[in-house]
Amino acid sequence: AALLARLGGDEFGVVILVPDERSAVDGAQLLQQSLVDAFEVDGVPVRVGAAIGVALYPEHSRTRTGVMRSADVAMYDAKQRRTGVEVYRPSSDFQTREKLQLLEDLRQAIEHRGLSLWYQPKVSLLDGKITSSEALVRWEHPTRGLMMPDDFVPIAERAGLVPGLTRAVLAQAIAFHAERCPHVGVSVNISHRDVVDESLSDYIADLLTIYGYPAEKLTL
C-alpha cells in the first residue's frame, strides 16, 4: 500500500513503507516502469517520463519536511544524471538546495507575474519610425538582483516550466502592445519545446482575441 499525492505542477509524492533502501529503489523503478506505456488522451497516445528521488525516514531526515526536501534533492540528481532514479546523497545537498530554491522562486515568479519584459525597438531605415519590438524577458530576483535569460531559462527547461514561462511572456507582450501601441508589432522568443506544444496555438489565438491585437503583428 502507498499514498500518492500531487504536490503541484507535474510533481508527485509517494509515501511507502519499506524494510530497506533496496526495496525503496525497487519500488521507484517499478513506478517508473509503469510509465513506459503510452496514455491515451482524447484518442492521442501521449508518453511521459519521470525522474524519481528517493529519501528515507529517519536515515535522511527526522521530519516530514526534511524527507520531502531530501527527496527533491535526489530527484534533481536523477534529472541531472539522467538515471531516472536516485537516492539522496548528502554530498549533493548544498548546491542542489540552492538550485531548488532558485527553481521554486522562478516557479512563483512565473505564476504571479514576477517577470518583466524589456522591449528592444526595431526601426525602419526608410523613415526612422519604430515598426516593431522584440520582447526580452528579465527577472528581478529579490536577493540575486537582475537575472538575464541565460541565468534562468535553462533551469525552466530542465524543470518543465517552459510552457508557463512562454505563456507568461506572450500574455505580457501582447497586453502591453495592444494597450499602449497597437500599431507596433512584437517578436517573442519561444523554446524548441514550444514547437511541439499543441495547445500553444489555441492559447495565442485566445490572447489575440481578448486583447484585440492583430495576429499579423505578432512574430514568434
Side-chain angles (χ1 to χ4, degrees):
L3 172 65
L4 171 66
R6 179 170 178 246
L7 304 178
D10 59 355
E11 293 186 346
F12 295 82
V14 180
V15 180
I16 185 170
L17 293 174
V18 292
D20 51 37
E21 181 180 305
R22 182 67 259 172
S23 299
V25 172
D26 288 344
Q29 291 175 337
L30 186 64
L31 179 60
Q32 191 179 54
Q33 188 64 30
S34 70
L35 298 173
V36 170
D37 295 333
F39 296 89
E40 190 169 294
V41 180
D42 293 333
V44 179
V46 177
R47 295 188 179 276
V48 299
I52 303 176
V54 176
L56 304 176
Y57 171 89
E59 289 90 333
H60 298 146
S61 179
R62 291 185 172 274
T63 67
R64 288 173 294 182
T65 302
V67 171
M68 291 290 290
R69 195 70 169 168
S70 296
D72 251 346
V73 171
M75 182 187 68
Y76 193 87
D77 264 357
K79 287 184 177 182
Q80 289 288 86
R81 299 168 187 265
R82 298 182 184 277
T83 55
V85 176
E86 287 287 342
V87 179
Y88 171 73
R89 292 184 179 89
S91 59
S92 300
D93 206 315
F94 180 72
Q95 185 180 11
T96 304
R97 283 181 188 271
E98 280 196 331
K99 290 178 180 177
L100 287 171
Q101 185 58 58
L102 185 62
L103 175 59
E104 180 57 30
D105 293 344
L106 178 57
R107 182 181 283 112
Q108 293 296 322
I110 292 172
E111 291 181 0
H112 301 292
R113 294 293 184 93
L115 302 173
S116 60
L117 297 185
W118 293 11
Y119 297 103
Q120 178 172 284
K122 296 181 180 181
V123 179
S124 170
L125 295 178
L126 294 177
D127 55 18
K129 293 183 178 178
I130 296 175
T131 59
S132 64
S133 72
E134 181 178 358
L136 306 173
V137 64
R138 302 289 187 264
W139 180 20
E140 188 68 47
H141 191 275
T143 59
R144 296 170 183 255
L146 184 65
M147 298 182 68
M148 309 298 277
D150 287 348
D151 298 324
F152 60 87
V153 170
I155 297 173
E157 289 183 333
R158 286 197 299 271
L161 298 180
V162 166
L165 175 60
T166 298
R167 283 163 170 73
V169 171
L170 281 165
Q172 286 183 244
I174 290 174
F176 177 87
H177 283 72
E179 295 168 2
R180 303 284 188 88
C181 45
H183 60 287
V184 175
V186 62
S187 298
V188 177
N189 296 314
I190 65 174
S191 167
H192 64 282
R193 297 175 186 271
D194 293 315
V195 178
V196 294
D197 183 350
E198 296 181 354
S199 63
L200 183 60
S201 58
D202 289 337
Y203 180 80
I204 293 172
D206 288 343
L207 282 177
L208 296 173
T209 299
I210 290 170
Y211 290 104
Y213 189 67
E216 62 270 17
K217 292 289 186 182
L218 175 66
T219 300
L220 303 178

